[in-house]
Amino acid sequence: MRALTLNEVPSAPAVAEVDAPAPGAGELLVKVAGSSVNGFDLSVTSGRLEGMMEHRFPLVLGMDFAGTVEAVGEGVEGFAAGDAVFGVAMKPFLGGGALAEYVTVSAGFGVARIPAGLDVKDAAALGLAGTAALNSVEAAAPQKGETVLVSGATGGVGALAVQLAAARGARVIATARPGAEADFVTGLTDADVAVVDYTADLDTQVRALAPEGVDAVLHLAGDAGQLVGLLREGGRIASTLGLTQEAVETEGVTVHSIMASPDPATLASLADKAAAGELRIPVTATFPLEQAADAFDAFRAGTLGKITVTCA
């Protein structure tokens, strides 16, 4: 099968022919229609995860997947060949990724059905970013009328988090450069979203909108210390970038360190919201598998929202 692979790290990915996987006990074999690029994938190519996780070469990249169940392994219940599914390829090693024509995934975690009304190409971009966004919003728990600052609003996680926070009735302040970035963010939801320019004086801009400080911060990009300083006493910050409670000296601030956990209930909730039109999956660029390396370059260049790769 064709797949986007690495033969060593750090190195640039390339499409190559590799053996197709077979489903083990408790696994699904999925014929992949689409995948997407995530920051995690770039961490793998850069070698930053060497020594932290086992690397199996040739290493097939990719976490997100959407497609059709081709076969089921021994002991699998609840799924059958022909089911449309999506999710995140979660494995204890790096190498069996979803930027390929086929991928094996656990039938019990990281996978859910694609409901009617959700396009498979959109589902391919939802798994990891959607989970990180939902986990972050639920941890920070902005209530109706509270103010939440989304730092990193133009990325895939941030674009979904803006919508999820607004849907809770929170007042959203989002970071984006003026122009195309700001237009992208304000176009994500019908709710009013205030935009602040992260390349200018962020403190002054946020304090003008929330003089007493914001109630919650979603730390998806930017300087954690500066963002903590924008919280009111008793505020909460959810960080996908490794911020811990121990690292924050400010009294009265609660830190939630987020590690995305794509359990079936989370994935199903996200898919249902998207299928109902309550959550827009912000796909802004799509590449065929043969040009997947170009998709990585586009991600590094700062393409807004999500970048998908068609694998069928």
Side-chain angles (χ1 to χ4, degrees):
M1 69 172 185
R2 294 172 303 147
L4 187 68
T5 66
L6 301 171
N7 288 317
E8 62 181 357
V9 291
S11 66
V15 175
E17 287 286 336
V18 298
D19 293 336
E27 289 187 330
L28 307 175
L29 175 65
V30 178
K31 182 176 176 58
V32 182
S35 182
S36 81
V37 183
N38 291 287
F40 183 87
D41 300 312
L42 269 68
S43 293
V44 177
T45 64
S46 71
R48 286 198 293 271
L49 300 181
E50 194 171 18
M52 300 173 62
M53 294 183 70
E54 178 188 355
H55 290 52
R56 295 185 184 177
F57 298 101
L59 190 156
V60 179
L61 292 158
M63 299 289 285
D64 287 327
F65 69 89
T68 306
V69 175
E70 184 84 357
V72 299
E74 181 182 354
V76 170
E77 296 181 356
F79 291 97
D83 287 346
V85 295
F86 83 105
V88 184
M90 304 286 289
K91 296 182 179 180
F93 63 91
L94 298 173
L99 279 162
E101 293 181 296
Y102 294 92
V103 67
T104 54
V105 298
S106 169
F109 190 81
V111 63
R113 284 184 174 79
I114 300 175
L118 176 57
D119 187 272
V120 66
K121 294 177 183 178
D122 286 335
L126 182 59
L128 190 58
T131 297
L134 185 57
N135 289 169
S136 297
V137 171
E138 290 182 340
Q143 303 301 305
K144 184 176 182 179
E146 288 192 324
T147 300
V148 57
L149 172 63
V150 181
S151 182
T154 60
V157 178
L160 293 166
V162 165
Q163 299 175 66
L164 293 168
R168 294 173 66 106
R171 177 193 183 207
V172 177
I173 302 174
T175 62
R177 290 191 182 100
E181 287 191 3
D183 291 344
F184 169 75
V185 170
T186 56
L188 291 168
T189 172
D190 292 335
D192 290 332
V193 175
V195 176
V196 291
D197 181 3
Y198 60 88
T199 66
D201 187 339
L202 186 64
D203 289 30
T204 297
Q205 295 173 81
V206 173
R207 289 291 179 181
L209 296 166
E212 302 302 318
V214 298
D215 299 286
V217 168
L218 303 186
H219 175 218
L220 314 174
D223 179 74
Q226 181 182 35
L227 297 171
V228 168
L230 292 170
L231 284 164
R232 66 163 176 80
E233 184 177 356
R236 297 93 62 194
I237 180 168
S239 173
T240 62
L241 300 179
L243 182 67
T244 63
Q245 188 71 57
E246 294 72 25
V248 174
E249 298 179 356
T250 305
E251 292 288 336
V253 168
T254 301
V255 178
H256 300 278
S257 297
I258 304 300
M259 183 70 71
S261 181
D263 60 81
T266 295
L267 293 173
S269 174
L270 289 163
D272 287 345
K273 291 178 190 298
E278 299 169 6
L279 184 66
R280 174 193 163 200
I281 303 174
V283 176
T284 59
T286 300
F287 294 78
L289 181 59
E290 290 80 3
Q291 297 174 19
D294 295 333
F296 275 57
D297 291 340
F299 187 97
R300 290 188 192 93
T303 298
L304 302 176
K306 289 291 297 181
I307 299 171
T308 55
V309 175
T310 55
C311 300

